[in-house]
Amino acid sequence: MQRIVDNALAVTKESVKTLTYEWLNNIARFINGASALLLTILPGKANILEGLHGWELRPTFRGPRFPRWMHNGVSSFNQFIHELSVDSDTSSLDYSSGEDSDGMYPASPSSHSSRLSWASISANYESHWTDWITSILWWLLLPARIMLWIPLYMLQLLYRRSSRTPMSPGRNRHSSRTGFSKTNSAKEHHVPNRTTDRRRGVIEDLHLAIEIFIETIFDFFHKAAHLILSPSEACRIVFSWFSSPSSSPKGAYDDDSDDETVQTATLGESNPSPTERTTSLYNSMNTDTRTCKDVITELGYPYEAIHVITSDGYVLLLERIPRRDARKAVYLQHGVLDSSMGWVSNGVVGSPAFAAYDQGYDVFLGNFRGLVSREHVDKNISSREYWRYSINEHGIEDIPAMIEKIHEIKTAELKLCQSNADEEVNEEQPYKLCAICHSLGGAGILMYVITRRIEEKPHRLSRLILLSPAGFHDDSNFVFMLIEYIFLFFSPILARLVPAFYIPTRFFRMLLNKLARDFHNYPAVGGLVQTLMSYVVGGDSSDWVGVLGLPHYNMNDMPAVSFRVAQHLAQMKHSGRFRMFDYGSPSTNMEIYGSPEPLDLGEYYGFIDVPVDLVAGRKDRVIRPSMVRRHYRLMNEAGVDVSYNEFEYAHLDFTFSHREELLAYVMSRLLLVEPMPVGKRQSSQKGMKLKKKKEGL
């Protein structure tokens, strides 16, 4: 009877699993198909999705791939749990660049296993009717099977009692070794599949959660049926509860902790007994939470983190790929809603930070204020006070603090590395520092150089390479114009309600990270989201969906935009000038700037005394090439040593895409700045001393 109940529960459980899986999968197919239909009627999608690997506009009758934790279309919950306990490292991203054999599907981290799954689907369909016929015959012959099973079972019991002998220890060891070798062979068979991206999307998490729920419910009914059919066993358990309550494991029902301990054993250890490994609750959420440090160190490069405190108390993270004896350094500054991750996100081959380091530069990666973690010397600072800053603070607080810290570090290190360095450092900067800035970082570095020159302070830079720099924004689309007037007319109300723009909770940031995974698994949905996001930014064809899946938008932290930064950009667009923040009051402006109007930085381009290289993207709809050419025209009229170049890029292609021609161009501009040899530096210093003596006479 127990076996009949077990078989019935097993069949029912698998049937419920199949129904729920097909139900959820059909919903995902419907959403993917509806997205494909919408894509067919949306205008301009071909230009938006052009060049983005992985988006397929043609609708397909096939559904999406099976989840990576389901092999050959068959539910494998136990195997998934086994693999999860064996391989807990899900941080590495190794996206396959290959395509499916039929060309209908984009490449994905599970392209190999997906091909195996789809190859097995046809075989499953062919055996569909055979399975039905077999099931019907099995149920028809069930009474006869039961009648024959009873005498056979009695004979087996008699035979076991007569032939039962104790098993030798050697035999025990042999059997355990055999089982262990089978387990290892199974592990080795699945190792190649673990080299891909193991992150799960929302759909896959739903599949897994439903299967875990079904397993839990049916396990409860299985135990209940076992106790009902075995009253003696139920009485023994109840008696053990009342007779020895202290025999239960200590802490078995302790739910106060978020951590679990998993017993593990490692092959080759001197002591093969299982040990306890602590697993965090947040690690089981299967999201990519790598930082810039993780990316740099995983690729084998040195790393150093420097915390910089600005004059107004903000704590900034200046990251470094150190080359301490180098006399040439490069400072890279990101744009809006970005971080230093953008300069290393393309790996060793396509990232500007690694390319500069390989060329012999000491690389510094700057991070603006504005992370959700809100680092500040005042730990009790309110959210409203923390987010009260504009682009002014980026240019006159953040960048000066980081560049001065770079100067302090490089001067101290070169003193230790070079002989007779004391005299050199006191007379002249012993290194050359170049800046590569993107978008808002370009506007900040221009503001920094101009204000330092006005204040007659050294800016310590030798060359500026500005990739689609912000500053002029009047040539834009209707959406930006609408946002501009919303910020200008409703700023007093919005500033009180929304101090900054970011995803507020860890749950929603985790959800965004997982949705980005789903956008890749369901190409029509991803293409639709990509198209709609591009409409918002004027048709820019950057890989917006791909950027959402990068680790700097994770559940722990993310870059944000303060309301005043967005308001400052709206002021620039409305005035058509590159100027500092307008506080809305002539008296406040007079107190800060010395004039009732904010400082127009475009009129002070003559103060720029270093070469500037401007780069624009012909497909850039966020900062159009006409706006970058306005920078060029004003600098050229002011006598600045400036160059201008254009590439077939969108706005985010400058940092998040692997562009060899851009990387080669940037490196060629960096190599134009060569540090002065030590001998020439010393002779020039002696000449300067003689000149000063003659002037004194």
Side-chain angles (χ1 to χ4, degrees):
M1 191 64 184
Q2 181 67 40
R3 180 173 294 182
I4 296 175
V5 173
D6 291 344
N7 290 336
L9 287 175
V11 172
T12 307
K13 179 175 70 173
E14 291 302 322
S15 301
V16 172
K17 283 184 181 180
T18 303
L19 289 175
T20 54
Y21 171 77
E22 289 298 330
W23 172 75
L24 186 60
N25 203 26
N26 286 332
I27 292 178
R29 289 176 181 176
F30 174 77
I31 295 174
N32 197 54
S35 302
L37 291 176
L38 287 176
L39 272 177
T40 59
I41 63 176
L42 289 177
K45 59 184 176 296
N47 294 329
I48 293 173
L49 302 179
E50 181 183 4
L52 294 183
H53 179 74
W55 303 117
E56 179 58 60
L57 296 180
R58 292 173 293 176
T60 175
F61 292 103
R62 291 185 181 180
R65 291 186 176 92
F66 286 105
R68 284 181 293 277
W69 49 275
M70 299 184 69
H71 296 282
N72 301 323
V74 180
S75 174
S76 56
F77 171 78
N78 292 332
Q79 185 173 357
F80 170 78
I81 295 298
H82 168 71
E83 291 185 359
L84 186 64
S85 63
V86 171
D87 180 25
S88 61
D89 183 12
T90 60
S91 62
S92 61
L93 296 176
D94 185 11
Y95 289 93
S96 173
S97 59
E99 297 182 354
D100 290 344
S101 58
D102 56 358
M104 293 290 292
Y105 296 95
S108 78
S110 59
S111 57
H112 177 68
S113 60
S114 299
R115 283 194 290 268
L116 296 177
S117 298
W118 284 115
S120 65
I121 290 177
S122 59
N124 291 336
Y125 281 135
E126 293 174 359
S127 62
H128 179 73
W129 291 106
T130 305
D131 294 340
W132 271 104
I133 294 173
T134 304
S135 300
I136 293 173
L137 291 175
W138 188 90
W139 284 105
L140 290 176
L141 297 175
L142 181 62
R145 290 168 58 90
I146 294 176
M147 296 299 295
L148 291 174
W149 172 76
I150 294 175
L152 289 175
Y153 181 72
M154 299 300 295
L155 290 175
Q156 288 178 359
L157 287 179
L158 293 174
Y159 177 76
R160 287 177 184 174
R161 289 180 180 178
S162 62
S163 62
R164 182 176 298 172
T165 55
M167 189 175 294
S168 62
R171 188 174 179 182
N172 274 332
R173 289 194 296 267
H174 177 72
S175 61
S176 64
R177 187 183 299 112
T178 305
F180 188 73
S181 64
K182 291 180 180 179
T183 305
N184 281 334
S185 63
K187 292 179 184 178
E188 292 172 1
H189 178 71
H190 293 285
V191 164
N193 294 333
R194 296 195 194 105
T195 60
T196 58
D197 182 12
R198 294 292 298 250
R199 288 182 300 164
R200 300 187 303 269
V202 175
I203 301 299
E204 291 178 87
D205 274 344
L206 285 176
H207 280 300
L208 179 60
I210 290 174
E211 191 161 358
I212 292 175
F213 177 76
I214 293 172
E215 287 280 347
T216 304
I217 295 298
F218 277 90
D219 182 65
F220 169 78
F221 282 108
H222 178 268
K223 292 181 178 179
H226 178 70
L227 293 177
I228 292 173
L229 296 176
S230 302
S232 59
E233 182 70 16
C235 294
R236 188 184 63 81
I237 294 175
V238 172
F239 179 75
S240 64
W241 288 349
F242 291 98
S243 61
S244 56
S246 60
S247 62
S248 59
K250 183 179 180 180
Y253 302 97
D254 184 11
D255 295 329
D256 295 336
S257 176
D258 290 339
D259 293 343
E260 299 176 349
T261 57
V262 181
Q263 290 188 345
T264 60
T266 304
L267 182 64
E269 289 182 345
S270 58
N271 183 12
S273 59
T275 58
E276 290 187 349
R277 174 175 56 115
T278 302
T279 59
S280 175
L281 175 65
Y282 298 117
N283 293 338
S284 63
M285 294 183 181
N286 193 248
T287 59
D288 191 357
T289 58
R290 290 178 300 164
T291 62
C292 187
K293 172 186 176 181
D294 298 327
V295 174
I296 293 173
T297 54
E298 283 174 4
L299 294 174
Y301 285 83
Y303 175 84
E304 181 180 347
I306 305 165
H307 289 89
V308 180
I309 300 178
T310 64
S311 59
D312 53 352
Y314 286 79
V315 181
L316 311 178
L317 178 60
L318 178 63
E319 299 177 280
R320 182 187 185 190
I321 310 178
R323 194 181 289 274
R324 306 186 189 282
D325 58 345
R327 289 187 173 272
K328 50 184 182 180
V330 60
Y331 166 72
L332 297 100
Q333 184 57 57
H334 63 78
V336 67
L337 281 175
D338 197 2
S339 68
S340 57
M341 180 69 74
W343 302 112
V344 299
S345 60
N346 293 318
V348 176
V349 178
S351 299
F354 297 132
Y357 180 85
D358 294 337
Q359 291 289 336
Y361 285 85
D362 195 355
V363 180
F364 292 87
L365 309 172
N367 287 280
F368 280 144
R369 66 182 69 187
L371 291 175
V372 176
S373 53
R374 298 203 319 236
E375 295 291 334
H376 197 274
V377 293
D378 183 7
K379 301 301 181 182
N380 298 321
I381 187 172
S382 64
S383 176
R384 192 179 305 277
E385 288 294 327
Y386 178 86
W387 296 110
R388 188 173 296 175
Y389 64 84
S390 65
I391 304 177
N392 284 18
E393 282 68 29
H394 288 328
I396 64 179
E397 294 288 349
D398 296 350
I399 295 179
M402 287 187 283
I403 290 183
E404 287 302 314
K405 176 61 70 172
I406 293 172
H407 176 70
E408 176 186 341
I409 292 172
K410 290 300 297 178
T411 303
E413 289 178 348
L414 290 176
K415 276 184 179 181
L416 299 176
C417 295
Q418 302 294 336
S419 60
N420 300 324
D422 293 335
E423 182 182 358
E424 295 177 19
V425 173
N426 291 332
E427 295 292 339
E428 187 181 356
Q429 182 175 312
Y431 63 95
K432 296 289 185 179
L433 178 63
C434 300
I436 303 175
C437 306
H438 175 241
S439 190
L440 187 66
I445 203 73
L446 289 174
M447 185 183 296
Y448 163 74
V449 172
I450 292 172
T451 54
R452 298 289 283 193
R453 290 278 290 151
I454 292 175
E455 297 171 355
E456 298 183 350
K457 296 180 180 179
H459 55 69
R460 309 191 188 284
L461 295 171
S462 300
R463 194 176 195 92
L464 304 179
I465 302 174
L466 308 182
L467 310 176
S468 189
F472 297 104
H473 303 276
D474 48 297
D475 182 10
S476 59
N477 67 336
F478 173 76
V479 176
F480 284 145
M481 186 180 301
L482 180 64
I483 296 174
E484 165 198 345
Y485 285 104
I486 290 176
F487 275 98
L488 291 177
F489 292 108
F490 298 100
S491 58
I493 301 175
L494 293 176
R496 296 178 179 273
L497 299 176
V498 187
F501 300 95
Y502 58 92
I503 302 175
T505 64
R506 294 170 60 90
F507 171 77
F508 287 109
R509 291 196 290 271
M510 177 193 68
L511 186 63
L512 176 67
N513 191 274
K514 289 182 173 294
L515 284 175
R517 183 73 254 152
D518 284 324
F519 295 152
H520 285 274
N521 292 339
Y522 298 89
V525 179
L528 179 63
V529 174
Q530 167 74 18
T531 304
L532 295 178
M533 292 182 68
S534 299
Y535 285 165
V536 174
V537 293
D540 189 87
S541 60
S542 301
D543 189 3
W544 301 98
V545 172
V547 169
L548 292 179
L550 290 177
H552 67 316
Y553 291 105
N554 59 62
M555 63 182 297
N556 295 324
D557 208 351
M558 68 168 288
V561 178
S562 73
F563 180 85
R564 281 196 172 185
V565 168
Q567 185 182 6
H568 195 174
L569 292 171
Q571 292 176 0
M572 291 179 182
K573 175 174 169 42
H574 185 71
S575 64
R577 293 180 293 172
F578 178 27
R579 64 178 192 174
M580 302 186 78
F581 185 73
D582 186 358
Y583 290 91
S585 170
S587 59
T588 306
N589 289 336
M590 180 67 71
E591 180 182 352
I592 295 176
Y593 304 119
S595 63
E597 291 290 329
L599 193 66
D600 188 350
L601 298 172
E603 297 178 356
Y604 291 88
Y605 274 176
F607 281 89
I608 300 176
D609 58 347
V610 294
V612 180
D613 300 302
L614 298 172
V615 183
R618 296 190 184 97
K619 297 181 180 179
D620 194 339
R621 297 296 180 266
V622 178
I623 301 175
R624 299 175 184 262
S626 59
M627 300 293 93
V628 183
R629 284 195 293 268
R630 185 178 299 182
H631 283 289
Y632 173 75
R633 186 178 67 253
L634 292 176
M635 290 182 185
N636 197 22
E637 293 173 356
V640 180
D641 182 7
V642 59
S643 67
Y644 176 80
N645 204 346
E646 288 185 4
F647 293 91
E648 291 289 338
Y649 298 159
H651 190 66
L652 298 184
D653 292 344
F654 291 103
T655 54
F656 293 109
S657 295
H658 180 196
R659 306 287 181 170
E660 293 182 1
E661 58 271 22
L662 174 66
L663 201 59
Y665 174 77
V666 171
M667 291 300 106
S668 67
R669 309 313 290 181
L670 281 180
L671 294 175
L672 294 176
V673 180
E674 286 292 340
M676 190 181 301
V678 178
K680 292 184 178 180
R681 181 179 294 111
Q682 291 177 347
S683 62
S684 64
Q685 291 167 0
K686 293 178 181 178
M688 291 175 62
K689 290 181 180 180
L690 292 174
K691 185 177 179 180
K692 289 180 180 179
K693 288 182 180 179
K694 290 180 180 179
E695 290 176 354
L697 294 175

